[in-house]
Amino acid sequence: MQLTMTLSNMVALSGAMLVLAAMPSSSVLIVVSRSTSSGFIHGFMTALGIVVGDIVFVLIAILGLSLLAESMAGMFILVKYLGGAYLVWMGIGLLRMAPGKLQPEKSHSASVMSSFMSGLLFSLADQKAILFYLGFFPAFIDLEALSMMDTVVIILITLVTVGGVKLAYAFFADSTASLFSERSKRVLNLVSGSL
């Protein structure tokens, strides 16, 4: 098991993934919304779900399973629709949530798992991520020469960069949740729910 990636490749890949993860996006919005409405642990679990979904797509891209993804299009469509239905249900819940209920609640395992699943399904419902990673990685690494150790390094880079950024968003959203007015929390939930 030999590492073929150079240090400069790792730094460049980390920097690019860090910038892309930090850009405002729908995944950032869902993490912020969960943190402000239900507390840090929910934002953390949503971010964890998003990262796990990204790692699945990273592995698919690295292992060259785009052909498998095409041949299993029915399964991916099923995941996409199940994820979409769950997100619609969650969005309706956010739209209907009264501003007074936007205070962080005590976490219980079912709701924490719900936060993880919402992040995971949100990530897995975006099939374009496979194409993104397939197009993104060749700029930094030679997919033909990747070793198992390179794959582990790329997964760790994804975990640290994407996970770290989403976790920072969750922390800051939870820390500043008390500064949000009821109106701004309501707007955030309306935007998140509509999205």
Side-chain angles (χ1 to χ4, degrees):
M1 252 189 344
Q2 186 176 353
L3 187 66
T4 62
M5 289 179 67
T6 64
L7 181 60
S8 62
N9 289 123
M10 289 181 226
V11 170
L13 181 62
S14 298
M17 289 184 82
L18 188 70
V19 168
L20 291 171
M23 292 173 63
S25 64
S26 51
S27 65
V28 167
L29 188 58
I30 194 171
V31 169
V32 168
S33 177
R34 282 288 206 184
S35 291
T36 57
S37 65
S38 300
F40 174 74
I41 190 68
H42 289 274
F44 171 81
M45 292 303 288
T46 302
L48 182 61
I50 290 168
V51 171
V52 169
D54 270 9
I55 288 172
V56 167
F57 286 134
V58 164
L59 288 172
I60 289 172
I62 287 174
L63 299 174
L65 296 179
S66 58
L67 294 176
L68 181 61
E70 285 178 25
S71 67
M72 297 178 66
M75 185 183 89
F76 281 106
I77 289 173
L78 177 64
V79 168
K80 183 177 181 177
Y81 282 113
L82 287 175
Y86 180 76
L87 292 173
V88 166
W89 175 74
M90 189 178 78
I92 290 170
L94 283 171
L95 289 171
R96 295 179 63 195
M97 188 179 288
K101 293 183 77 179
L102 295 177
Q103 300 306 319
E105 310 163 348
K106 291 211 184 238
S107 301
H108 52 82
S109 60
S111 66
V112 171
M113 184 52 89
S114 168
S115 292
F116 172 79
M117 290 305 294
S118 67
L120 178 64
L121 290 174
F122 182 85
S123 192
L124 291 179
D126 183 14
Q127 289 179 306
K128 295 182 300 265
I130 296 172
L131 298 175
F132 170 77
Y133 282 120
L134 279 171
F136 179 72
F137 283 147
F140 300 96
I141 51 181
D142 180 8
L143 290 174
E144 305 266 330
L146 276 180
S147 68
M148 181 62 90
M149 188 59 119
D150 292 322
T151 302
V152 170
V153 168
I154 293 169
I155 289 171
L156 289 173
I157 289 171
T158 303
L159 186 64
V160 169
T161 58
V162 176
V165 167
K166 302 302 185 212
L167 192 59
Y169 274 113
F171 175 77
F172 287 121
D174 179 56
S175 298
T176 60
S178 62
L179 301 176
F180 284 94
S181 68
E182 292 302 317
R183 178 170 158 56
S184 61
K185 288 179 183 180
R186 179 73 178 145
V187 168
L188 181 61
N189 276 331
L190 284 173
V191 170
S192 297
S194 298
L195 185 63

